[in-house]
Every structure is written in structure tokens, then in C-alpha cells.
Amino acid sequence: RILNLGKTSKQVYAAMQPEKKAWLDAFVAGVNHYMMSAEDLPHEYTLLGLDRETWRPDEILTIGRLASIDVNWLAWFRLMQYRDRPDWPQLWAMVLEEGTSSAPSFDPSKSASLDGLTKILSTVSRNGSNSFAVSKDKTGTGAAMIANDPHLGVNLPNLWLLAGVKSPSYNVVGFMVPGVPFVAVGRNENIAWGGTNMRSANSDLIDISAVPADKIQTRTEPVAVRWWFDSEVTVRESPYGPVLSDAEVLPKKQGETFALKWIGHYPSDELSAMLGVNRARNWDEFKSSLEGFSISPQNFLYADAAGNIGQLTATHLPSRSIESPKDVVRPLTDAKAWDTIRTSATLPKSFNPPEGFLASSNNRGAPADIPIGYFFSADDRVLRLQSLLSSKSRVTAQDLKRMQMDAYSMSSVAMRDAVVARGRGWANLTETQKNALEAMAEWDGQYAIDSKGAVAFEAAMAAFMPTAFDQDMLLLLDAAGTPFTRLSTQVASLDAKKFQDALTKGLDSAAQAMALYPAWGDMHRMSIQAQYAAIPVVGSRYIFDNVATGGSGETILKSDHSTTAERHDTRYGAQARHVSDLSDPDANWFVMLGGNDGWFNSSTFRDQVPAFMSGGSYKVPLRIETVRATFPHKIELKPATPSS
């Protein structure tokens, strides 16, 4: 209620061009016609106690805001609990250095509770992904290729709906978000697109302690609770945004009052921008369509049938000073930067780099004259993609599919090498401990389902890391990226007794885990379940399966998890994949975790799970004649007659 995600939705709808407004109105009319005329309502209506209620166009716009929350909030929430420490300025500087030190996708200077809240926000936000494009110079087909795999919470129904849409003004196939009328990841006859969250600095926390009380407004919000008493909350709004410090779940200093300045509270029309992308025929039309796109901030990748590729920084940002902020909460004077908002027209972009490819994995953006962001993903995924793509003189669509399943982690290997190099010099290890150390040493760095070394390494780190390093330091570095990269360089200089203690505990932990879990897939699991599985008592009804999975937190095949020596489930990571070869309108492959039907336990609710887990996919043609010849099932919609 405090975030007020739909603050500008009515304003944006009122300002839409008549053609775009008519398009959105027609979509909403279709949703409402189905809802009001359907004989059977989805299971969620019974579970959540919902009634039939018509949708409004502004609510569609608010759905877009819900899926576009700022991933910086997730880092803030984890860091704010440390602001009372006397060494906070030094810790904050270290976190900023770590968060902004990852490798850029391209460089234009060259030619080419709190945990519960965090889980909720990370599940609904588009805060991860890989996207990579290859030009005609490396495909040899005369056209470009593109691959995309969004990273989100692992839940059924999947966030995505796979659809093909043909109308007089566009012909597209790809992933849509149910309830939003455009293809977010896919292609048309001329171009293809995908994106990764750029983790740009789209928000500021502003100290408003000096703002007069009469400048702060209040409103009362009703809170309906299923199976319990309804309640009300009072929300305060300042000239600088909602008073976020009123949220009891957030750590704050004594007497501190701060507001949230978020670009999502500024009017922007992402629906019209994406309609333009769906219709675009070339790079110039693609670029111009996205000038109005603000959130969620995306590194959009582009490929076309003429063989071109590109990358665009698509967001709106305040004109901040390039200097790093001194604290999570900024002084009131810093709000001045929001008087001038920059768009993609003046932010970094790349077109046809000499390398012949572009890759993005939530890593640091290209340098700019304003800060793009402060907390980016570690280098592992983008450097691995760049290495795999540069190693091939010719790239095929099958190569791109294999890359999406790659489970190598360079930061894990760096930490493994540091521990093994020093550990092998330790004479007083037991045979069991030596065997565990050698299992780590022989590991190829791939978190494959059948890997024994991945079990040894992860279980060893579960005990080694908190023994060798300060727990708060681990949490701080984890908020900014992955601690392995930075801390691997410190292993050799650890105090001898501390290293011995950490090593023996780590190797004992590895040995125990290897006895219980012969392979990574025995230890690393994915629960095929609905979000409602978290509901007490009835939640077990929504767990459909539990399967072995590969990957880890910083592998291209992303399946995030905590560092643990126990069997665990991944709850966030890759949950859909797309590859397109633009030399052929029908050469498009898609797959999702789940199925193309959100109706619980229907025949197509989770029929794609086996293909998704094995790296398979389904060919989805763009030519309408191929669709008619390929797909046997057809539903024909006809206008309702007066008698009906």
C-alpha cells in the first residue's frame, strides 16, 4: 500500500494516443467478455474468495508496474540493518565498489518480514535474465540470431504465455505476460528482441526529516485478509514520494524519516513503447519506440533479418552526479537531480560491434556521464557467454540452445582453486578429508546434475566461508553480487589457524554431503509448485513434483540457492527460453517451466516441464500458412448474437 504502484496509471491512460488507447480498450473488453461469460471460473477465485469483477485499462498499466519493481530495493533492504555500525561508511564504500565492478556488455569508448518481503518482490519482479545476439558475420546465414532466457521466481502457472498474434499491423510470436497486450520477448517478420534487467538506479531514498508536516498528506487504505479480519492502514505521502520509513519491516536509524523517489511514480507508457517494438521493422524504429520506455529498466538486445544486432539502454534516469552516494539514504538536496530525466535517446547503445555478438546478464552497463546503477550481477554469466561466443567462428541456433544450458561458474572455480592450492599443503588431513579435497580439485566447474565435485564444493563452502570470513561481510558482499570473486583473493593470506579450522570444517562438511548426495541433482532440486504452496495447511496440495536440476546462482543456467550442505530447492532462476534464427520466419524455439495453460491440473498446465528440464524446446512458426498446416487444434471466436 505504501509503494502505491498504480499511482500514475490513470494519468498514463488518459494521455495515451487515441489509437493506442483504442488498442488497450479492445484488449480489456476481450478480457472482460471472457470473465463475465465463462461458465466456470479458475480455481483461484474459490481459493482467494474472489468475485467476478471487470478490469479497467488503468489496472493493466498497474500490472506492468507490479512486474517492474526496482531490484535496488532488494539490496537496500539487506544493507540497511548495518547502518548503525561505526564502520558503515567503509562497508558502504566496499559494497558500492563490489556492486559496480562487474564487466560491461559493451564499451562505447571502443569501436564496438524483511526476508519475506524480499522473496515476494524478487518473485514478481523481472530482475534477472540472459540475452545474447549474434550478427550475420558469425552465423553465416545472412541474418542474425538471438537467444533469451528470463529469470524469475520458479512457480506455476508460469509468468509467461506463449502466443502468436497476427493482425493487419503486426505479426509476432513470443512470450506475453497474461493480462498485458504485447509480446515482451520474441520476434516479428523483420526483427527479434529480448532483454535483461539492467539493475539501473531508478530509485532514491530521500531524507525528509526537514520537510514541514503540513507538506505530508495521509490516506487510509483498506486491507482485505482471507480467512481473517479485514483492517486498515494509514499511508503518508510526501512531495518526494511515499514515506517508506513508515514500513515497520524496514531497518532504520532512530527517528529517521525517508521517502521513496521512484521513476515508476513518474508517468510513462511502456505499453505503447512495446507495441512499437512489436511493429518495428529496423533498428531505427526499434530505438524510437523505446524512448518512452521507463520500467522495468532493460538492456534490450536486438537482431534482424538483415543480419544486424544491437543493444539499447532502455529506461529513464535522473541526472545524478557521477560521484557515488555517501549512504543508502540521500540528503534532501539530492532530490534536485530528479528535475531532469534522461531517456534512452541519450543513454549508451551499441550497433553491430566488430566482435559480431552482444551479451547481457544483468551486468554493469556501458559507461555514461551519469551513474546507470550501483548493484549489478557478478561477471560469471556475461564473461562465460562472451567466451563461448568468441570461441566460435560460426554460430548455429543449436549452439545458442546449448549455451543456455551451460552450468559453469568461474567465481566458484576461482574460490575452489584458492582453497585447493593452500589446502594441499596441509599435512594433517584425514584420508576422508583428502578425498573430499581431491573431489573438489577434479571438479570441472560445471554444476551439472550428475556432478560429484559440485556437491563437494558447495558443501565445503557452507562450512568454510562462515568460519574463514566475517558473517556480516559475507552478507554485505552477497547483497552486491557474489562473495567468491573478492574473497578468493584473500584465502592465501588468511591466518593459518583460521584457515586450518575453516578447511577441516569445510572438508568434513563436503565428505558428509558426498555420502548423502552422490550427485548435484540429488542435492540441488526444483519444486514444481504453485505459489500457493506457501499457504499453511492447504499448501501441500499445490506441490506437483520435485525434480533434480543443474545450474547455480551465477551460471548461465541460473538456478539460485543458498550456500548449504543439505538438500535444497531453487526458488528463482531460468524459467523460460527462446531462440530465433532470423533467416527463417519459422525458425523460432520456445519452452517454459510449466505449460501454456494457467488452469490448475489441465492437460497443458505443466506439460512442458520435461522439455524445459532437459534443454528441449518447441518450434513456433511465424508464417500463418505454417501455423495452419502444423497446429491441429483450432478455436474459432464469433461475435455474440442478440439471442445469446
Side-chain angles (χ1 to χ4, degrees):
R1 299 306 197 279
I2 294 174
L3 291 174
N4 194 14
L5 299 175
K7 180 179 179 179
T8 62
S9 296
K10 288 184 170 64
Q11 181 182 353
V12 171
Y13 174 70
M16 289 180 76
Q17 297 176 3
E19 177 202 23
K20 310 291 175 55
K21 187 180 290 187
W23 164 67
L24 178 56
D25 288 346
F27 178 82
V28 174
V31 171
N32 287 335
H33 171 75
Y34 171 76
M35 183 183 302
M36 303 311 290
S37 60
E39 293 183 6
D40 298 317
L41 290 173
H43 171 71
E44 291 91 336
Y45 278 71
T46 301
L47 177 67
L48 302 177
L50 303 177
D51 297 320
R52 296 178 197 253
E53 183 179 348
T54 56
W55 288 24
R56 303 189 311 269
D58 61 281
E59 291 173 327
I60 303 291
L61 297 166
T62 300
I63 290 174
R65 292 301 199 250
L66 173 64
S68 303
I69 63 100
D70 190 343
V71 298
N72 288 282
W73 302 348
L74 308 180
W76 290 348
F77 297 165
R78 296 177 68 176
L79 295 171
M80 292 177 74
Q81 59 187 308
Y82 300 106
R83 292 174 63 233
D84 283 328
R85 286 178 47 149
D87 60 345
W88 167 247
Q90 293 77 28
L91 294 173
W92 173 243
M94 180 199 68
V95 170
L96 285 181
E97 179 188 355
E98 184 71 16
T100 58
S101 64
S102 63
S105 296
F106 65 91
D107 188 342
S109 66
K110 299 194 300 183
S111 55
S113 96
L114 193 58
D115 285 346
L117 176 61
T118 299
K119 288 178 182 177
I120 291 170
L121 294 178
S122 63
T123 297
V124 301
S125 69
R126 295 179 293 208
N127 61 11
S129 302
N130 300 311
S131 187
F132 42 112
V134 186
S135 74
K136 63 181 179 182
D137 296 333
K138 286 184 75 72
T139 65
T141 66
M145 297 181 188
I146 195 168
N148 303 289
D149 55 287
H151 301 164
L152 291 157
V154 177
N155 291 298
L156 272 62
N158 200 292
L159 176 78
W160 303 108
L161 171 73
L162 179 54
V165 183
K166 182 172 176 57
S167 79
S169 68
Y170 57 85
N171 183 18
V172 293
V173 294
F175 289 127
M176 303 176 70
V177 176
V180 181
F182 58 77
V183 170
V185 176
R187 70 164 295 184
N188 62 28
E189 293 162 313
N190 300 291
I191 76 164
W193 60 92
T196 73
N197 193 303
M198 74 173 66
R199 304 192 175 185
S200 59
N202 288 106
S203 305
D204 282 334
L205 295 179
I206 302 294
D207 182 352
I208 59 168
S209 56
V211 174
D214 61 358
K215 298 294 184 182
I216 297 178
Q217 300 177 338
T218 63
R219 69 179 187 277
T220 300
E221 294 270 4
V223 180
V225 183
R226 181 64 163 152
W227 301 313
W228 199 247
F229 302 104
D230 295 345
S231 62
E232 292 182 341
V233 294
T234 299
V235 177
R236 296 195 295 166
E237 182 88 17
S238 80
Y240 304 93
V243 183
L244 198 60
S245 54
D246 286 350
E248 294 182 4
V249 70
L250 295 185
K252 60 190 75 70
K253 293 182 178 180
Q254 184 69 31
E256 188 172 48
T257 308
F258 52 79
L260 173 68
K261 195 82 170 167
W262 178 41
I263 201 68
H265 288 145
Y266 284 55
S268 60
D269 184 3
E270 285 72 27
L271 265 67
S272 294
M274 289 306 300
L275 177 60
V277 167
N278 288 188
R279 290 172 163 175
R281 296 166 294 181
N282 52 53
W283 173 245
D284 288 338
E285 292 182 4
F286 179 79
K287 284 192 303 180
S288 62
S289 297
L290 289 169
E291 287 187 24
F293 189 100
S294 176
I295 58 169
S296 64
Q298 295 289 304
N299 281 306
F300 268 110
L301 267 74
Y302 164 97
D304 66 30
N308 303 299
I309 60 173
Q311 183 171 337
L312 185 71
T313 306
T315 191
H316 295 173
L317 288 169
S319 299
R320 299 186 187 90
S321 165
I322 200 68
E323 295 180 2
S324 297
K326 298 294 189 290
D327 195 359
V328 177
V329 178
R330 291 173 175 260
L332 187 61
T333 52
D334 281 7
K336 183 70 176 175
W338 291 77
D339 292 348
T340 303
I341 301 297
R342 301 274 291 274
T343 73
S344 63
T346 60
L347 294 174
K349 57 186 68 68
S350 178
F351 186 66
N352 284 340
E355 297 84 359
F357 64 84
L358 286 162
S360 178
S361 297
N362 318 115
N363 50 293
R364 179 169 60 92
D369 59 347
I370 61 171
I372 299 296
Y374 304 107
F375 303 107
F376 301 105
S377 279
D379 290 344
D380 289 56
R381 287 180 289 134
V382 69
L383 291 183
R384 180 64 173 169
L385 283 170
Q386 291 171 350
S387 174
L388 292 172
L389 290 167
S390 63
S391 68
K392 294 181 176 294
S393 58
R394 284 287 180 266
V395 176
T396 67
Q398 194 61 35
D399 290 330
L400 300 186
K401 295 178 188 179
R402 282 194 291 266
M403 290 178 195
Q404 290 178 327
M405 298 298 291
D406 186 84
Y408 181 82
S409 171
M410 60 183 298
S411 63
S412 295
V413 169
M415 177 59 78
R416 183 277 311 273
D417 288 347
V419 172
V420 169
R422 190 171 180 188
R424 277 179 166 166
W426 223 259
N428 56 344
L429 295 179
T430 67
E431 283 302 311
T432 302
Q433 291 168 344
K434 289 178 182 178
N435 291 337
L437 187 66
E438 289 310 306
M440 290 170 54
E442 294 168 4
W443 179 43
D444 61 2
Q446 290 276 356
Y447 284 84
I449 287 178
D450 60 355
S451 173
K452 178 177 69 173
V455 175
F457 173 76
E458 283 293 326
M461 290 303 101
F464 178 89
M465 295 290 281
T467 306
F469 303 103
D470 178 72
Q471 185 71 23
D472 287 343
M473 180 72 69
L474 294 177
L475 293 172
L476 285 162
L477 289 174
D478 190 56
T482 173
F484 286 163
T485 301
R486 175 182 284 261
L487 297 182
S488 62
T489 64
Q490 300 178 21
V491 170
S493 59
L494 282 171
D495 172 78
K497 186 177 184 311
K498 177 173 282 192
F499 176 77
Q500 180 184 14
D501 190 24
L503 179 67
T504 54
K505 287 182 178 178
L507 294 179
D508 286 343
S509 174
Q512 292 169 13
M514 291 166 62
L516 292 172
Y517 311 111
W520 180 237
D522 298 313
M523 181 178 179
H524 187 56
R525 312 289 293 183
M526 179 182 290
S527 182
I528 309 300
Q529 64 182 48
Q531 207 158 25
Y532 305 123
I535 298 176
V537 183
V538 301
S540 60
R541 296 176 53 194
Y542 300 98
I543 300 174
F544 309 107
D545 202 355
N546 189 276
V547 298
T549 187
S552 187
E554 292 299 339
T555 57
I556 298 174
L557 176 60
K558 188 176 180 77
S559 56
D560 206 22
H561 61 95
S562 58
T563 302
T564 179
E566 299 176 351
R567 178 170 164 144
H568 57 271
D569 288 344
T570 177
R571 300 299 310 133
Y572 172 84
Q575 39 77 277
R577 290 190 289 269
H578 158 234
V579 171
S580 277
D581 176 354
L582 281 93
S583 67
D584 179 357
D586 294 338
N588 315 294
W589 295 269
F590 297 88
V591 67
M592 69 178 80
L593 181 68
N596 220 35
D597 188 350
W599 201 278
F600 277 90
N601 292 325
S602 72
S603 62
T604 51
F605 178 62
R606 49 191 176 99
D607 61 317
Q608 294 185 37
V609 171
F612 179 85
M613 300 305 299
S614 65
S617 57
Y618 302 93
K619 195 170 184 178
V620 183
L622 188 64
R623 293 186 182 98
I624 191 65
E625 57 268 25
T626 310
V627 174
R628 289 170 176 154
T630 305
F631 289 83
H633 185 70
K634 180 173 75 172
I635 298 175
E636 189 169 334
L637 305 179
K638 296 181 178 180
T641 62
S643 60
S644 64

